[in-house]
mmCIF file of all heavy atoms in Angstrom:
data_model
loop_
_atom_site.group_PDB
_atom_site.id
_atom_site.type_symbol
_atom_site.label_atom_id
_atom_site.label_comp_id
_atom_site.label_asym_id
_atom_site.label_seq_id
_atom_site.Cartn_x
_atom_site.Cartn_y
_atom_site.Cartn_z
ATOM 1 N N ALA A 1 100.996 85.716 51.641
ATOM 2 C CA ALA A 1 102.257 85.562 50.961
ATOM 3 C C ALA A 1 102.220 86.054 49.540
ATOM 4 O O ALA A 1 103.270 86.418 48.929
ATOM 5 C CB ALA A 1 102.679 84.067 50.988
ATOM 6 N N GLU A 2 101.096 86.107 48.897
ATOM 7 C CA GLU A 2 100.931 86.645 47.539
ATOM 8 C C GLU A 2 101.534 88.083 47.406
ATOM 9 O O GLU A 2 102.089 88.434 46.381
ATOM 10 C CB GLU A 2 99.472 86.632 47.061
ATOM 11 C CG GLU A 2 99.184 87.315 45.726
ATOM 12 C CD GLU A 2 97.834 87.945 45.678
ATOM 13 O OE1 GLU A 2 97.219 88.123 46.716
ATOM 14 O OE2 GLU A 2 97.440 88.270 44.504
ATOM 15 N N PHE A 3 101.312 88.855 48.521
ATOM 16 C CA PHE A 3 101.679 90.280 48.530
ATOM 17 C C PHE A 3 103.058 90.505 49.219
ATOM 18 O O PHE A 3 103.422 91.650 49.409
ATOM 19 C CB PHE A 3 100.652 91.049 49.267
ATOM 20 C CG PHE A 3 100.496 92.472 48.897
ATOM 21 C CD1 PHE A 3 100.100 92.898 47.618
ATOM 22 C CD2 PHE A 3 100.761 93.494 49.811
ATOM 23 C CE1 PHE A 3 99.968 94.246 47.281
ATOM 24 C CE2 PHE A 3 100.614 94.860 49.497
ATOM 25 C CZ PHE A 3 100.215 95.215 48.205
ATOM 26 N N PHE A 4 103.750 89.406 49.447
ATOM 27 C CA PHE A 4 105.056 89.452 50.283
ATOM 28 C C PHE A 4 106.270 89.851 49.423
ATOM 29 O O PHE A 4 106.522 89.184 48.471
ATOM 30 C CB PHE A 4 105.279 88.193 50.948
ATOM 31 C CG PHE A 4 106.551 88.146 51.757
ATOM 32 C CD1 PHE A 4 106.634 88.901 52.949
ATOM 33 C CD2 PHE A 4 107.603 87.342 51.375
ATOM 34 C CE1 PHE A 4 107.834 88.940 53.699
ATOM 35 C CE2 PHE A 4 108.753 87.329 52.172
ATOM 36 C CZ PHE A 4 108.856 88.066 53.292
ATOM 37 N N SER A 5 106.955 90.955 49.826
ATOM 38 C CA SER A 5 108.118 91.391 49.114
ATOM 39 C C SER A 5 109.291 91.482 50.223
ATOM 40 O O SER A 5 109.141 92.284 51.162
ATOM 41 C CB SER A 5 107.979 92.746 48.495
ATOM 42 O OG SER A 5 107.137 92.647 47.372
ATOM 43 N N THR A 6 110.373 90.836 50.039
ATOM 44 C CA THR A 6 111.518 90.870 50.995
ATOM 45 C C THR A 6 112.177 92.215 50.913
ATOM 46 O O THR A 6 112.889 92.589 51.888
ATOM 47 C CB THR A 6 112.481 89.782 50.691
ATOM 48 O OG1 THR A 6 112.976 89.891 49.357
ATOM 49 C CG2 THR A 6 111.855 88.388 50.891
ATOM 50 N N TYR A 7 112.043 92.950 49.780
ATOM 51 C CA TYR A 7 112.857 94.151 49.597
ATOM 52 C C TYR A 7 112.070 95.156 48.715
ATOM 53 O O TYR A 7 110.961 94.841 48.302
ATOM 54 C CB TYR A 7 114.166 93.780 48.892
ATOM 55 C CG TYR A 7 114.189 93.379 47.445
ATOM 56 C CD1 TYR A 7 115.146 93.862 46.587
ATOM 57 C CD2 TYR A 7 113.189 92.589 46.944
ATOM 58 C CE1 TYR A 7 115.106 93.542 45.226
ATOM 59 C CE2 TYR A 7 113.044 92.259 45.545
ATOM 60 C CZ TYR A 7 114.106 92.704 44.685
ATOM 61 O OH TYR A 7 114.076 92.424 43.415
ATOM 62 N N ILE A 8 112.697 96.334 48.503
ATOM 63 C CA ILE A 8 112.106 97.452 47.725
ATOM 64 C C ILE A 8 110.687 97.830 48.189
ATOM 65 O O ILE A 8 110.375 97.624 49.394
ATOM 66 C CB ILE A 8 112.276 97.234 46.217
ATOM 67 C CG1 ILE A 8 111.541 95.964 45.743
ATOM 68 C CG2 ILE A 8 113.719 97.213 45.829
ATOM 69 C CD1 ILE A 8 111.726 95.730 44.179
ATOM 70 N N CYS A 9 109.863 98.422 47.390
ATOM 71 C CA CYS A 9 108.400 98.814 47.614
ATOM 72 C C CYS A 9 108.242 100.244 48.066
ATOM 73 O O CYS A 9 109.134 100.977 48.392
ATOM 74 C CB CYS A 9 107.799 97.849 48.609
ATOM 75 S SG CYS A 9 107.944 96.150 48.171
ATOM 76 N N ASN A 10 106.961 100.705 48.086
ATOM 77 C CA ASN A 10 106.651 102.091 48.272
ATOM 78 C C ASN A 10 105.261 102.300 48.739
ATOM 79 O O ASN A 10 104.390 101.423 48.553
ATOM 80 C CB ASN A 10 106.811 102.844 46.952
ATOM 81 C CG ASN A 10 106.828 104.381 47.107
ATOM 82 O OD1 ASN A 10 107.291 104.897 48.153
ATOM 83 N ND2 ASN A 10 106.294 105.095 46.165
ATOM 84 N N VAL A 11 105.019 103.422 49.406
ATOM 85 C CA VAL A 11 103.608 103.921 49.792
ATOM 86 C C VAL A 11 103.593 105.363 49.345
ATOM 87 O O VAL A 11 104.508 106.081 49.410
ATOM 88 C CB VAL A 11 103.275 103.706 51.207
ATOM 89 C CG1 VAL A 11 103.148 102.263 51.641
ATOM 90 C CG2 VAL A 11 104.250 104.447 52.122
ATOM 91 N N GLU A 12 102.377 105.753 48.970
ATOM 92 C CA GLU A 12 102.096 107.167 48.687
ATOM 93 C C GLU A 12 100.808 107.574 49.360
ATOM 94 O O GLU A 12 99.831 106.851 49.459
ATOM 95 C CB GLU A 12 101.943 107.363 47.195
ATOM 96 C CG GLU A 12 103.265 107.119 46.350
ATOM 97 C CD GLU A 12 104.247 108.356 46.480
ATOM 98 O OE1 GLU A 12 103.745 109.421 46.702
ATOM 99 O OE2 GLU A 12 105.385 108.070 46.402
ATOM 100 N N TYR A 13 100.851 108.860 49.800
ATOM 101 C CA TYR A 13 99.666 109.457 50.435
ATOM 102 C C TYR A 13 99.158 110.513 49.540
ATOM 103 O O TYR A 13 99.793 111.475 49.174
ATOM 104 C CB TYR A 13 100.055 110.180 51.746
ATOM 105 C CG TYR A 13 98.983 110.942 52.391
ATOM 106 C CD1 TYR A 13 98.033 110.430 53.274
ATOM 107 C CD2 TYR A 13 98.940 112.351 52.233
ATOM 108 C CE1 TYR A 13 97.068 111.149 53.895
ATOM 109 C CE2 TYR A 13 97.973 113.085 52.854
ATOM 110 C CZ TYR A 13 97.016 112.537 53.719
ATOM 111 O OH TYR A 13 96.062 113.308 54.286
ATOM 112 N N TYR A 14 97.873 110.314 48.936
ATOM 113 C CA TYR A 14 97.273 111.225 48.033
ATOM 114 C C TYR A 14 96.306 112.202 48.711
ATOM 115 O O TYR A 14 95.999 113.200 48.204
ATOM 116 C CB TYR A 14 96.563 110.430 46.929
ATOM 117 C CG TYR A 14 97.399 109.536 46.064
ATOM 118 C CD1 TYR A 14 97.019 108.321 45.791
ATOM 119 C CD2 TYR A 14 98.645 110.024 45.590
ATOM 120 C CE1 TYR A 14 97.756 107.465 45.006
ATOM 121 C CE2 TYR A 14 99.444 109.224 44.834
ATOM 122 C CZ TYR A 14 98.992 107.920 44.572
ATOM 123 O OH TYR A 14 99.745 107.062 43.791
ATOM 124 N N GLY A 15 95.811 111.797 49.863
ATOM 125 C CA GLY A 15 94.832 112.570 50.654
ATOM 126 C C GLY A 15 94.271 111.659 51.686
ATOM 127 O O GLY A 15 94.536 110.440 51.749
ATOM 128 N N GLU A 16 93.453 112.269 52.602
ATOM 129 C CA GLU A 16 92.924 111.474 53.685
ATOM 130 C C GLU A 16 92.121 110.273 53.183
ATOM 131 O O GLU A 16 91.170 110.401 52.400
ATOM 132 C CB GLU A 16 92.041 112.406 54.623
ATOM 133 C CG GLU A 16 91.932 111.740 56.021
ATOM 134 C CD GLU A 16 93.246 111.378 56.651
ATOM 135 O OE1 GLU A 16 94.221 112.189 56.562
ATOM 136 O OE2 GLU A 16 93.232 110.346 57.317
ATOM 137 N N GLY A 17 92.546 109.066 53.552
ATOM 138 C CA GLY A 17 91.841 107.889 53.134
ATOM 139 C C GLY A 17 92.180 107.414 51.681
ATOM 140 O O GLY A 17 91.597 106.468 51.148
ATOM 141 N N HIS A 18 93.155 108.072 51.060
ATOM 142 C CA HIS A 18 93.525 107.797 49.636
ATOM 143 C C HIS A 18 95.005 107.560 49.576
ATOM 144 O O HIS A 18 95.818 108.396 49.772
ATOM 145 C CB HIS A 18 93.130 108.988 48.744
ATOM 146 C CG HIS A 18 93.228 108.765 47.346
ATOM 147 N ND1 HIS A 18 93.084 109.712 46.378
ATOM 148 C CD2 HIS A 18 93.400 107.580 46.619
ATOM 149 C CE1 HIS A 18 93.185 109.163 45.233
ATOM 150 N NE2 HIS A 18 93.375 107.912 45.272
ATOM 151 N N TYR A 19 95.328 106.239 49.299
ATOM 152 C CA TYR A 19 96.744 105.899 49.387
ATOM 153 C C TYR A 19 97.087 104.989 48.088
ATOM 154 O O TYR A 19 96.234 104.442 47.411
ATOM 155 C CB TYR A 19 97.069 105.012 50.630
ATOM 156 C CG TYR A 19 96.462 105.469 51.859
ATOM 157 C CD1 TYR A 19 95.323 104.832 52.496
ATOM 158 C CD2 TYR A 19 96.925 106.651 52.517
ATOM 159 C CE1 TYR A 19 94.712 105.306 53.688
ATOM 160 C CE2 TYR A 19 96.386 107.071 53.786
ATOM 161 C CZ TYR A 19 95.288 106.415 54.237
ATOM 162 O OH TYR A 19 94.794 106.854 55.466
ATOM 163 N N MET A 20 98.421 104.855 47.932
ATOM 164 C CA MET A 20 98.931 103.830 47.056
ATOM 165 C C MET A 20 99.826 102.874 47.840
ATOM 166 O O MET A 20 100.675 103.387 48.703
ATOM 167 C CB MET A 20 99.728 104.432 45.894
ATOM 168 C CG MET A 20 100.201 103.328 44.906
ATOM 169 S SD MET A 20 101.483 103.947 43.793
ATOM 170 C CE MET A 20 102.870 104.142 44.904
ATOM 171 N N VAL A 21 99.706 101.556 47.680
ATOM 172 C CA VAL A 21 100.575 100.638 48.313
ATOM 173 C C VAL A 21 101.207 99.760 47.192
ATOM 174 O O VAL A 21 100.447 99.078 46.459
ATOM 175 C CB VAL A 21 99.780 99.729 49.340
ATOM 176 C CG1 VAL A 21 100.785 98.739 49.964
ATOM 177 C CG2 VAL A 21 99.149 100.593 50.430
ATOM 178 N N HIS A 22 102.483 99.782 47.080
ATOM 179 C CA HIS A 22 103.225 99.194 45.967
ATOM 180 C C HIS A 22 104.115 98.067 46.521
ATOM 181 O O HIS A 22 105.127 98.339 47.216
ATOM 182 C CB HIS A 22 104.022 100.198 45.200
ATOM 183 C CG HIS A 22 105.025 99.645 44.338
ATOM 184 N ND1 HIS A 22 104.740 98.961 43.136
ATOM 185 C CD2 HIS A 22 106.415 99.613 44.360
ATOM 186 C CE1 HIS A 22 105.914 98.621 42.522
ATOM 187 N NE2 HIS A 22 106.923 98.977 43.249
ATOM 188 N N SER A 23 103.702 96.822 46.330
ATOM 189 C CA SER A 23 104.588 95.603 46.668
ATOM 190 C C SER A 23 105.376 95.252 45.482
ATOM 191 O O SER A 23 104.921 94.476 44.617
ATOM 192 C CB SER A 23 103.777 94.497 47.243
ATOM 193 O OG SER A 23 104.559 93.493 47.700
ATOM 194 N N GLY A 24 106.575 95.880 45.331
ATOM 195 C CA GLY A 24 107.304 95.733 44.041
ATOM 196 C C GLY A 24 108.236 94.538 43.964
ATOM 197 O O GLY A 24 108.913 94.428 42.918
ATOM 198 N N GLY A 25 108.390 93.751 44.973
ATOM 199 C CA GLY A 25 109.432 92.705 44.920
ATOM 200 C C GLY A 25 108.967 91.325 45.214
ATOM 201 O O GLY A 25 109.658 90.494 45.799
ATOM 202 N N THR A 26 107.747 90.913 44.723
ATOM 203 C CA THR A 26 107.177 89.620 45.035
ATOM 204 C C THR A 26 107.781 88.611 44.040
ATOM 205 O O THR A 26 108.241 88.987 42.922
ATOM 206 C CB THR A 26 105.662 89.647 44.973
ATOM 207 O OG1 THR A 26 105.260 89.734 43.610
ATOM 208 C CG2 THR A 26 105.043 90.720 45.820
ATOM 209 N N GLY A 27 107.780 87.325 44.383
ATOM 210 C CA GLY A 27 108.271 86.364 43.499
ATOM 211 C C GLY A 27 108.213 84.903 44.056
ATOM 212 O O GLY A 27 108.163 84.715 45.296
ATOM 213 N N THR A 28 108.305 83.976 43.174
ATOM 214 C CA THR A 28 108.380 82.562 43.583
ATOM 215 C C THR A 28 109.571 81.896 42.872
ATOM 216 O O THR A 28 109.886 82.274 41.754
ATOM 217 C CB THR A 28 107.074 81.797 43.304
ATOM 218 O OG1 THR A 28 106.881 81.825 41.840
ATOM 219 C CG2 THR A 28 105.950 82.407 44.009
ATOM 220 N N PHE A 29 110.152 80.901 43.576
ATOM 221 C CA PHE A 29 111.153 80.055 42.935
ATOM 222 C C PHE A 29 110.829 78.649 43.080
ATOM 223 O O PHE A 29 110.573 78.179 44.246
ATOM 224 C CB PHE A 29 112.554 80.419 43.545
ATOM 225 C CG PHE A 29 113.624 79.596 42.975
ATOM 226 C CD1 PHE A 29 114.185 79.896 41.742
ATOM 227 C CD2 PHE A 29 114.294 78.575 43.685
ATOM 228 C CE1 PHE A 29 115.167 79.158 41.184
ATOM 229 C CE2 PHE A 29 115.297 77.903 43.201
ATOM 230 C CZ PHE A 29 115.783 78.179 41.932
ATOM 231 N N LYS A 30 110.651 77.941 42.031
ATOM 232 C CA LYS A 30 110.161 76.549 41.966
ATOM 233 C C LYS A 30 108.865 76.476 42.708
ATOM 234 O O LYS A 30 108.597 75.495 43.417
ATOM 235 C CB LYS A 30 111.217 75.638 42.603
ATOM 236 C CG LYS A 30 112.497 75.481 41.760
ATOM 237 C CD LYS A 30 113.507 74.538 42.387
ATOM 238 C CE LYS A 30 114.719 74.373 41.492
ATOM 239 N NZ LYS A 30 115.676 73.380 42.012
ATOM 240 N N GLY A 31 107.967 77.473 42.524
ATOM 241 C CA GLY A 31 106.657 77.483 43.146
ATOM 242 C C GLY A 31 106.587 77.890 44.542
ATOM 243 O O GLY A 31 105.509 78.061 45.049
ATOM 244 N N GLU A 32 107.724 78.097 45.200
ATOM 245 C CA GLU A 32 107.686 78.613 46.605
ATOM 246 C C GLU A 32 108.012 80.082 46.707
ATOM 247 O O GLU A 32 108.825 80.646 45.984
ATOM 248 C CB GLU A 32 108.852 77.831 47.382
ATOM 249 C CG GLU A 32 108.626 76.325 47.503
ATOM 250 C CD GLU A 32 107.421 75.909 48.367
ATOM 251 O OE1 GLU A 32 107.210 76.689 49.318
ATOM 252 O OE2 GLU A 32 106.763 74.903 48.079
ATOM 253 N N VAL A 33 107.262 80.715 47.673
ATOM 254 C CA VAL A 33 107.480 82.173 47.825
ATOM 255 C C VAL A 33 108.848 82.456 48.212
ATOM 256 O O VAL A 33 109.426 81.822 49.079
ATOM 257 C CB VAL A 33 106.452 82.688 48.854
ATOM 258 C CG1 VAL A 33 106.622 84.228 49.034
ATOM 259 C CG2 VAL A 33 105.032 82.418 48.486
ATOM 260 N N CYS A 34 109.461 83.486 47.596
ATOM 261 C CA CYS A 34 110.978 83.763 47.838
ATOM 262 C C CYS A 34 111.154 84.347 49.215
ATOM 263 O O CYS A 34 110.505 85.251 49.662
ATOM 264 C CB CYS A 34 111.410 84.783 46.795
ATOM 265 S SG CYS A 34 111.498 84.164 45.119
ATOM 266 N N ASP A 35 112.129 83.697 49.990
ATOM 267 C CA ASP A 35 112.598 84.110 51.225
ATOM 268 C C ASP A 35 113.602 85.134 51.166
ATOM 269 O O ASP A 35 114.124 85.731 52.157
ATOM 270 C CB ASP A 35 113.023 82.956 52.142
ATOM 271 C CG ASP A 35 112.076 82.661 53.318
ATOM 272 O OD1 ASP A 35 111.499 83.731 53.813
ATOM 273 O OD2 ASP A 35 111.897 81.559 53.686
ATOM 274 N N LYS A 36 114.224 85.380 49.928
ATOM 275 C CA LYS A 36 115.210 86.408 49.688
ATOM 276 C C LYS A 36 114.802 87.110 48.414
ATOM 277 O O LYS A 36 113.946 86.634 47.670
ATOM 278 C CB LYS A 36 116.607 85.738 49.579
ATOM 279 C CG LYS A 36 116.742 84.789 48.452
ATOM 280 C CD LYS A 36 118.168 84.154 48.422
ATOM 281 C CE LYS A 36 118.327 83.209 47.289
ATOM 282 N NZ LYS A 36 119.782 82.625 47.241
ATOM 283 N N PRO A 37 115.418 88.333 48.157
ATOM 284 C CA PRO A 37 114.996 89.015 46.950
ATOM 285 C C PRO A 37 115.079 88.142 45.661
ATOM 286 O O PRO A 37 116.130 87.466 45.434
ATOM 287 C CB PRO A 37 116.052 90.147 46.883
ATOM 288 C CG PRO A 37 116.441 90.359 48.322
ATOM 289 C CD PRO A 37 116.403 89.078 48.999
ATOM 290 N N PRO A 38 114.050 88.155 44.875
ATOM 291 C CA PRO A 38 113.986 87.324 43.712
ATOM 292 C C PRO A 38 115.145 87.521 42.754
ATOM 293 O O PRO A 38 115.528 86.602 41.998
ATOM 294 C CB PRO A 38 112.652 87.709 43.009
ATOM 295 C CG PRO A 38 111.760 88.062 44.188
ATOM 296 C CD PRO A 38 112.696 88.793 45.155
ATOM 297 N N VAL A 39 115.770 88.745 42.764
ATOM 298 C CA VAL A 39 116.904 89.045 41.834
ATOM 299 C C VAL A 39 118.097 88.198 42.201
ATOM 300 O O VAL A 39 119.034 88.111 41.390
ATOM 301 C CB VAL A 39 117.222 90.572 41.788
ATOM 302 C CG1 VAL A 39 116.158 91.372 41.244
ATOM 303 C CG2 VAL A 39 117.544 91.042 43.234
ATOM 304 N N GLN A 40 118.065 87.542 43.365
ATOM 305 C CA GLN A 40 119.205 86.775 43.739
ATOM 306 C C GLN A 40 119.199 85.306 43.105
ATOM 307 O O GLN A 40 119.961 84.493 43.306
ATOM 308 C CB GLN A 40 119.369 86.645 45.254
ATOM 309 C CG GLN A 40 119.695 88.020 45.834
ATOM 310 C CD GLN A 40 119.867 88.045 47.384
ATOM 311 O OE1 GLN A 40 120.090 86.938 47.946
ATOM 312 N NE2 GLN A 40 119.900 89.197 47.986
ATOM 313 N N TYR A 41 118.091 85.061 42.388
ATOM 314 C CA TYR A 41 117.888 83.808 41.691
ATOM 315 C C TYR A 41 118.136 84.001 40.160
ATOM 316 O O TYR A 41 117.262 83.732 39.346
ATOM 317 C CB TYR A 41 116.536 83.201 41.906
ATOM 318 C CG TYR A 41 116.234 82.807 43.307
ATOM 319 C CD1 TYR A 41 115.515 83.711 44.186
ATOM 320 C CD2 TYR A 41 116.564 81.556 43.849
ATOM 321 C CE1 TYR A 41 115.149 83.297 45.430
ATOM 322 C CE2 TYR A 41 116.301 81.202 45.177
ATOM 323 C CZ TYR A 41 115.560 82.101 45.972
ATOM 324 O OH TYR A 41 115.228 81.752 47.232
ATOM 325 N N MET A 42 119.262 84.567 39.773
ATOM 326 C CA MET A 42 119.424 84.997 38.380
ATOM 327 C C MET A 42 120.418 84.114 37.635
ATOM 328 O O MET A 42 120.838 84.450 36.515
ATOM 329 C CB MET A 42 119.782 86.444 38.336
ATOM 330 C CG MET A 42 118.814 87.407 38.880
ATOM 331 S SD MET A 42 117.229 87.473 38.004
ATOM 332 C CE MET A 42 117.672 88.550 36.629
ATOM 333 N N GLY A 43 120.875 82.967 38.180
ATOM 334 C CA GLY A 43 121.766 82.109 37.479
ATOM 335 C C GLY A 43 121.107 81.421 36.370
ATOM 336 O O GLY A 43 119.859 81.284 36.348
ATOM 337 N N ASP A 44 121.860 80.998 35.407
ATOM 338 C CA ASP A 44 121.250 80.433 34.153
ATOM 339 C C ASP A 44 120.454 79.142 34.548
ATOM 340 O O ASP A 44 119.510 78.780 33.872
ATOM 341 C CB ASP A 44 122.312 80.027 33.148
ATOM 342 C CG ASP A 44 123.006 81.282 32.563
ATOM 343 O OD1 ASP A 44 122.346 82.301 32.576
ATOM 344 O OD2 ASP A 44 124.172 81.145 32.037
ATOM 345 N N ASP A 45 120.888 78.436 35.582
ATOM 346 C CA ASP A 45 120.186 77.252 35.983
ATOM 347 C C ASP A 45 119.050 77.498 36.913
ATOM 348 O O ASP A 45 118.250 76.621 37.245
ATOM 349 C CB ASP A 45 121.201 76.294 36.728
ATOM 350 C CG ASP A 45 121.827 76.908 37.912
ATOM 351 O OD1 ASP A 45 121.875 78.143 37.974
ATOM 352 O OD2 ASP A 45 122.315 76.174 38.753
ATOM 353 N N GLU A 46 118.829 78.847 37.285
ATOM 354 C CA GLU A 46 117.768 79.185 38.196
ATOM 355 C C GLU A 46 116.649 79.938 37.496
ATOM 356 O O GLU A 46 115.392 79.784 37.855
ATOM 357 C CB GLU A 46 118.313 80.115 39.303
ATOM 358 C CG GLU A 46 119.304 79.424 40.259
ATOM 359 C CD GLU A 46 119.930 80.394 41.238
ATOM 360 O OE1 GLU A 46 120.352 81.508 40.812
ATOM 361 O OE2 GLU A 46 120.024 80.004 42.405
ATOM 362 N N LEU A 47 116.966 80.682 36.551
ATOM 363 C CA LEU A 47 115.949 81.560 35.847
ATOM 364 C C LEU A 47 114.756 80.830 35.319
ATOM 365 O O LEU A 47 113.628 81.357 35.458
ATOM 366 C CB LEU A 47 116.628 82.326 34.658
ATOM 367 C CG LEU A 47 117.399 83.611 34.989
ATOM 368 C CD1 LEU A 47 118.084 84.190 33.819
ATOM 369 C CD2 LEU A 47 116.371 84.626 35.554
#
């Protein structure tokens, strides 16, 4: 779950056996891993 992103993200191929893996949308709300994109918790009472 540490690497879990509900949305966005990327991979890149640099050569055989050489990659980039980008988990760009991870997050927690009140200590729980987000089941929806973290940007949806942007209310003043949520931030």
Side-chain angles (χ1 to χ4, degrees):
E2 173 211 14
F3 205 65
F4 178 68
S5 290
T6 59
Y7 74 138
I8 58 181
C9 306
N10 192 33
V11 294
E12 291 285 329
Y13 172 86
Y14 298 136
E16 200 53 41
H18 191 189
Y19 317 108
M20 182 193 72
V21 179
H22 165 71
S23 188
T26 70
T28 60
F29 181 70
K30 294 185 177 180
E32 297 289 330
V33 181
C34 293
D35 246 329
K36 62 181 182 180
V39 292
Q40 294 183 14
Y41 296 96
M42 299 295 279
D44 291 339
D45 58 337
E46 296 175 315
L47 276 174

